[in-house]
Structure formats: structure tokens, C-alpha cells
Amino acid sequence: MKKRMFMSVVFVAVLTFLSACGTESSSSSSSNKEITVRIGVQGKTGILPYAREHQYFEKAFEKEGVKVEWSEFASGPPHFEALSAGRLDFGATGGTPLIAGQAANIDFRAIAVTSDGKTGNSIIIPKNSSIKEITDLKGKKVAVAKGSSAYNFLYLALDRAKLTDKDIDIIQLQPDEARPALDNGSIDAWATWEPYATTAVFQTGATFLVSGKDLDITTPSFLIARTKFTEEHPDLTILFLKTYEEARQYFVNHIEEVSKDIAESQKLDVEIVQTVLNKTDTRLSPTTPEFSRAHQEQADFLYDVGGIDKKIETSEVIENKFVEDALKESK
């Protein structure tokens, strides 16, 4: 009961936040020349940050007379705030924010899968920690960003070890807050995603306690789109995906060059960047039955532990036709 109450309080807060963000306010346009495509980005080492740095989307959409605007977000949930308010057209997030957004009745579509999520999330511990396995987290302070993909990963990891949230002290922190807390000993462990985990390992001697790959947990990440935009501008939705794929192809086929580029532009250690890129699953694909099943299982798990207050059918927001067309045209 305590577990359900805790999870309910946390996710109700997230869902209330998302639901209260307003409704879509963008108006339809009769000409592409009047359109500005708004793209959300988070982190520094992914496809979208790289594409922004090299103006892939600006060049592609300029040919259609369309402008591009970028917005930065610390994690997935703020993407859905912006989608709900009509201030964002496209973004990329982990699966947990999608589930919270759908449960909050935000109108969006999951238009492609970008990762299987197995290496994206992990729990790390500071240097010389006495923690050796997940069960050692009992009674410890564990930081995690509320509503993020790492948030759900933490609960899945605890469940695999026969623990619950009441066995640990969960500290709600965004990455920029959690890293200092890990460094100064204010927390005992940190559930997070890349590149934050690998960066902490390289810079402070922290170690990986467990990852999604270790536990064989598939938690797909997605490209998301505002439903109204996809309905009014299917051609631009396909163009967005084709441009993403163009950037992705160069990205994965020139890892060493891209790593140096990102390291220089973002003032990061090139070894850290290349390590993250080499182990990251980077793809663009429709939501296959395997990914659909994994995403539904994730939503069912969150409902079972009180993370969302209603059962949802995740297939209702999945839309494969745009990425299927984009991949055909990209060949």
C-alpha cells in the first residue's frame, strides 16, 4: 500500500503538471512558407544535438520554405508540457515520459523508435562504494529524475531484486543536481541515462552497478510528434524523419569523426563521447511487435505499482506510417 501511495503521489504530480500545461494553440497554415517547425532536444551527444549543430534540419526545411526553431529540455516530461501547449512539434524521449503523457491525455504520436534502451539507463555508484549488488541499495539514498526513463528503470531493477521503493530512500533530482550530490556523498547511488552515467564514471571513478543490458530490459526510446502537426503536414513529418535518418547514417558511420566534433563543440572529453556513442543503440525504425510489447509491459508495470492511475493501451499513440514512408524514400 505504501508503495502504491508513493508512486501515485509522484506520478499524479507529473500527470497534473502535464495536464495543466494548456491545449494546443497553433493554427493551420495553407502554405509551408508560413510554417515554423519546433524541435525539442536534450543532452549533448545524440542525433538531434548533432543535427542541430550541423543544421541538417535547417537545410532540409529551407527548401520547403519552412523555418526551424529548437528548444532544449533537461528530460522527457518537459517535452510533453510543450507539446500540450502547442509549443513543440517534434522531440525525442524515453518510453516513460510517453506513458505519463498518454495517461495525461496529451495528444501526440510516437512516430519512430530510436533505441532499444538496453544501454541507455543504468544505476551508478560512487568510487569505493560498499554497494556491490542491487540488494545492497536497501536503506540507501538513490537519486533519479522524476518521470524519466531512468525512473522506470530504477523501479524495474528494484523489482528484479525483490525490493520496493520503501526499501530505499528515493531522492528526486535532475541530472545537473544529481551529479554534484553523487560527487559530494549526499547520495549513495544514481539512476540515470547516457551520457551522464559514463561521464561520471570517467570523471570521478564511479562504477556501474547495473544497466538495462545487464538485466535484459528493453525500454524503447521514441521520436514523438504533435498529432495536429502530423495531420496537417504529413509531408513535413516524413521530411523530419528523412532528415533524422540522413544525420543518423552519417553519425553511426563516422563515430570517430563525430566524437571529436561533439567533444570540441560541447567541450567534452573525446574518450567519454566515443565510449558513449560506441555502446549506444542508435536506430530509426517503426515500432515493431517486440518494441510495442516491451512498451506496453512498461506501462502495465507502472499501473501495477501505482505509477499511473489508469490502464492505457500504448498502441493507440503509435503511428508507423510516416517512418515507413520516410525509410522507403531514403533508400
Side-chain angles (χ1 to χ4, degrees):
M1 182 61 69
K2 288 181 180 179
K3 178 178 181 180
R4 291 186 65 86
M5 289 178 65
F6 175 84
M7 289 290 288
S8 296
V9 168
V10 170
F11 266 76
V12 165
V14 175
L15 300 182
T16 301
F17 171 69
L18 294 173
S19 299
C21 293
T23 57
E24 293 179 4
S25 59
S26 90
S27 59
S28 62
S29 164
S30 60
S31 169
N32 282 350
K33 294 182 180 180
E34 302 173 15
I35 299 170
T36 297
V37 172
R38 288 85 48 92
I39 305 174
V41 62
Q42 60 175 309
K44 298 179 178 180
T45 61
I47 304 296
L48 288 180
Y50 179 77
R52 177 178 64 168
E53 184 71 21
H54 292 274
Q55 297 192 317
Y56 274 83
F57 290 94
E58 285 82 354
K59 294 171 185 176
F61 282 98
E62 184 180 21
K63 297 175 183 177
E64 304 297 324
V66 176
K67 296 181 179 180
V68 174
E69 286 183 0
W70 295 87
S71 295
E72 292 191 17
F73 300 101
S75 59
H79 278 76
F80 286 88
E81 172 196 356
L83 277 171
S84 178
R87 294 185 282 104
L88 190 69
D89 301 311
F90 297 106
T93 79
T96 305
L98 267 74
I99 293 166
Q102 185 178 352
N105 298 315
I106 293 175
D107 199 7
F108 73 95
R109 290 293 178 266
I111 59 173
V113 169
T114 60
S115 171
D116 63 15
K118 288 187 177 182
T119 59
N121 296 301
S122 59
I123 301 173
I124 61 174
I125 51 178
K127 184 179 181 180
N128 299 323
S129 173
S130 62
I131 298 170
K132 303 301 180 186
E133 53 190 44
I134 301 174
T135 52
D136 294 334
L137 292 175
K138 192 169 185 178
K140 305 296 186 181
K141 295 179 179 179
V142 183
V144 67
K146 178 174 62 178
S148 67
S149 58
Y151 188 88
N152 185 63
F153 173 74
L154 172 60
Y155 278 85
L156 286 167
L158 291 173
D159 187 66
R160 293 286 181 90
K162 309 300 182 184
L163 297 177
T164 70
D165 59 283
K166 65 184 178 183
D167 292 313
I168 65 174
D169 183 7
I170 294 181
I171 311 296
Q172 309 288 345
L173 296 175
Q174 289 292 331
D176 61 344
E177 302 167 314
R179 172 59 191 276
L182 186 77
D183 293 349
N184 65 30
S186 299
I187 57 174
D188 301 297
W190 179 19
T192 190
W193 58 93
E194 295 294 356
Y196 300 110
T198 295
T199 300
V201 168
F202 269 83
Q203 293 180 346
T204 71
T207 58
F208 288 95
L209 177 64
V210 67
S211 70
K213 186 176 182 180
D214 296 329
L215 299 178
D216 195 28
I217 295 177
T218 299
T219 53
S221 296
F222 297 86
L223 289 176
I224 56 173
R226 187 167 55 88
T227 301
K228 189 174 181 180
F229 187 94
T230 67
E231 293 172 346
E232 294 179 347
H233 308 292
D235 56 331
L236 296 182
T237 303
I238 292 172
L239 179 57
F240 170 82
L241 290 162
K242 286 173 63 178
T243 306
Y244 183 95
E245 176 63 4
E246 179 187 355
R248 189 194 72 84
Q249 285 287 349
Y250 192 88
F251 192 95
V252 299
N253 290 314
H254 301 83
I255 290 292
E256 186 174 344
E257 174 193 330
V258 169
S259 298
K260 292 178 180 178
D261 191 331
I262 293 174
E264 182 177 347
S265 65
Q266 302 297 335
K267 296 179 174 56
L268 299 172
D269 187 306
V270 66
E271 188 178 4
I272 295 175
V273 175
Q274 190 162 347
T275 299
V276 171
L277 299 190
N278 278 330
K279 73 177 185 179
T280 299
D281 172 62
T282 304
R283 68 178 74 201
L284 183 72
S285 80
T287 303
T288 63
E290 176 190 1
F291 289 138
S292 182
R293 183 169 55 254
H295 190 52
Q296 183 64 56
E297 289 173 354
Q298 187 177 1
D300 292 342
F301 175 79
L302 288 173
Y303 175 75
D304 289 341
V305 298
I308 53 177
D309 60 6
K310 64 180 180 182
K311 290 185 72 71
I312 60 173
E313 183 59 50
T314 56
S315 62
E316 293 177 359
V317 302
I318 292 173
E319 182 57 81
N320 280 333
K321 65 180 181 181
F322 298 114
V323 70
E324 289 171 349
D325 287 346
L327 291 174
K328 286 178 184 177
E329 293 181 20
S330 295
K331 291 182 178 178

